[in-house]
Amino acid sequence: MEAVLENTDVGSLPLIECVNCVKTLPLRISRDLEQSSVWICAGCGVSFVGLAHPGLLERQGRLIRLHDQYFDDTTLPDIPVHIRRHIASLATRSALPAHLEKRRSERVYSAMVIQAIEMDRNFVLQNKVMKVILTDISRDGVGLAIPQTLSHNLLALKFPAASGSAIQAIVSVARQRDLSPPFIEFGCEFVARLGN
């Protein structure tokens, strides 16, 4: 996990402060030609363009969230319910017998569709939003079924909420296995929960 969060020479770059909330956000000002993202202050809703600061994001991620524009999946086709259920049932079949599977926390199984966007190791968004199947969730991470391979080991996720704003999180891919083509199951660990 440490290698994922590594970022060279960011300590000298200025952090972004929200003047409305009078809080220093876990964001830094980008250098020339660095690809940045639009982040929202979770306290007041003001937009900022910058980069997540890897050393602060895990502890202070609840102060910010990614702009909802990144998670717009209205042009993507839906994943039919019968496919979601089938893929989720395949994902629940562990490669190991139950008594050998070592888990830190109990998982809850699901077949919900959520949005995901790949991120590079510096928490910069890569590629476009994808619809993925959330196969399970626990205190420590999530299982995702994705109909493609990934180029990066970090994902920004958006979970629907019954009320209020949707929940966002950043996860790191810990393992993968093939399911039914083209779906691949990715076991992911939470890196940071973003504000909502």
Side-chain angles (χ1 to χ4, degrees):
M1 184 81 96
E2 298 302 321
V4 171
L5 302 179
E6 140 191 349
N7 194 341
T8 58
D9 194 32
V10 296
S12 61
L13 295 168
L15 294 175
I16 295 174
E17 185 172 319
C18 180
V19 293
N20 290 345
C21 296
V22 193
K23 289 184 181 174
T24 301
L25 303 176
L27 299 173
R28 68 172 177 83
I29 296 172
S30 57
R31 291 177 258 189
D32 290 341
L33 303 177
E34 272 188 310
Q35 182 183 354
S36 300
S37 301
V38 180
W39 298 84
I40 305 293
C41 173
C44 66
V46 171
S47 300
F48 296 93
V49 176
L51 293 159
H53 189 289
L56 301 175
L57 189 61
E58 185 176 350
R59 292 186 316 262
Q60 298 176 326
R62 291 182 182 250
L63 297 176
I64 58 171
R65 63 184 169 84
L66 285 161
H67 196 287
D68 284 333
Q69 71 185 8
Y70 296 117
F71 294 100
D72 181 9
D73 65 357
T74 54
T75 61
L76 298 177
D78 286 332
I79 302 173
V81 174
H82 71 281
I83 291 177
R84 292 192 330 235
R85 288 184 181 149
H86 173 68
I87 294 300
S89 72
L90 291 175
T92 61
R93 297 182 193 144
S94 174
L96 296 172
H99 68 283
L100 293 178
E101 190 176 74
K102 296 178 181 175
R103 301 197 59 82
R104 290 177 283 187
S105 60
E106 184 179 346
R107 60 180 157 181
V108 176
Y109 296 100
S110 174
M112 177 189 308
V113 173
I114 65 171
Q115 292 84 26
I117 307 169
E118 289 185 76
M119 301 181 102
D120 67 16
R121 66 186 187 94
N122 294 315
F123 301 100
V124 176
L125 295 171
Q126 304 292 318
N127 304 320
K128 301 272 187 208
V129 67
M130 305 175 277
K131 286 187 179 182
V132 303
I133 302 170
L134 174 71
T135 58
D136 65 82
I137 188 166
S138 70
R139 185 185 76 231
D140 300 316
V142 293
L144 303 172
I146 302 177
Q148 66 187 57
T149 59
L150 298 176
S151 303
H152 303 279
N153 285 335
L154 291 172
L155 294 167
L157 305 178
K158 182 179 175 185
F159 302 88
S163 62
S165 298
I167 298 166
Q168 294 182 13
I170 297 175
V171 297
S172 173
V173 175
R175 61 179 169 73
Q176 73 179 56
R177 70 176 172 145
D178 290 335
L179 291 174
S180 179
F183 285 94
I184 302 168
E185 179 188 26
F186 293 90
C188 304
E189 296 176 346
F190 287 117
V191 173
R193 175 171 175 177
L194 302 180
N196 58 331

